[in-house]
């Protein structure tokens, strides 16, 4: 299996943009989500605003299982999870985030350099508290201790 094609598990529970919206430029329908069973189309009138929460979608038990709130990276390999449009940390389709590749490359570079330079990294903060706004961040900052590699 090609690991390069696997999603980053941390982005499921902590998507960079947790809440988003779209404006309808013309009358359209969303294929599912309406009716008593949630499988009927939903009409969206021209000019309407559709808000959606990637944060909530990434925690749906119907997609990620009964332990959807748990950080369990093995679900991608062991369970063979392929959520398709149920995993959108950078959105998708024609409106995908233009900075996605840059953000992933930058984050990867920083992690590699930290591992190369420091022999040990230890979390020093308390419990993770989210700050959800336009972007998601750590409400209390990230506190770590670093030990130089010998």
């Amino acid at each position: 299996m090609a690991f390069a094609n696997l999603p980053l598990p941390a982005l499921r529970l902590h998507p960079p943009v947790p809440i988003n919206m779209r404006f309808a430029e013309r009358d359209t329908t969303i294929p599912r989500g309406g009716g008593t069973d949630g499988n009927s189309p939903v009409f969206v009138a021209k000019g309407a605003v559709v808000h959606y929460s990637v944060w909530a979608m990434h925690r749906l038990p119907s997609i990620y299982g009964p332990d959807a709130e748990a950080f369990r990276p093995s679900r991608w390999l062991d369970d063979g999870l392929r959520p398709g449009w149920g995993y959108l940390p950078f959105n998708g389709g024609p409106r995908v985030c233009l900075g996605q590749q840059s953000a992933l490359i930058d984050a990867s570079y920083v992690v590699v350099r930290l591992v190369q330079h420091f022999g040990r990294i230890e979390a020093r903060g308390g419990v993770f508290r989210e700050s959800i706004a336009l972007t998601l961040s750590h409400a209390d900052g990230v506190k770590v201790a670093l030990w130089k590699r010998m």
Side-chain angles (χ1 to χ4, degrees):
M1 170 173 272
F3 291 101
N5 294 326
L6 288 174
L8 293 171
L11 292 178
R12 180 180 73 84
L13 293 176
H14 309 293
V17 180
I19 301 165
N20 216 327
M21 70 179 88
R22 295 289 183 256
F23 298 88
E25 293 183 352
R26 62 183 183 283
D27 287 351
T28 189
T29 58
I30 297 173
R32 293 182 324 183
T36 56
D37 62 356
N39 288 320
S40 299
V42 176
F43 175 72
V44 180
K46 177 181 179 178
V49 179
V50 177
H51 295 261
Y52 60 99
S53 172
V54 174
W55 187 93
M57 183 176 64
H58 284 182
R59 288 166 166 75
L60 288 174
S62 60
I63 297 174
Y64 295 99
D67 65 342
E69 292 279 344
F71 180 72
R72 187 173 59 83
S74 63
R75 79 179 73 239
W76 301 95
L77 287 173
D78 298 345
D79 302 348
L81 179 67
R82 297 293 177 267
W85 288 100
Y87 178 74
L88 295 174
F90 293 97
N91 278 300
R95 303 291 184 269
V96 69
C97 176
L98 296 175
Q100 175 180 0
Q101 293 307 312
S102 177
L104 294 174
I105 289 169
D106 290 353
S108 299
Y109 177 78
V110 168
V111 169
V112 167
R113 294 297 291 155
L114 283 170
V115 170
Q116 286 175 337
H117 195 73
F118 297 102
R120 189 167 138 213
I121 301 172
E122 182 180 293
R124 288 288 174 93
V127 176
F128 177 77
R129 286 189 326 113
E130 294 172 317
S131 173
I132 297 177
L134 176 61
T135 59
L136 188 140
S137 63
H138 195 304
D140 303 313
V142 179
K143 297 166 183 71
V144 296
L146 304 167
W147 284 266
K148 190 163 177 66
R149 188 172 290 285
M150 297 293 170

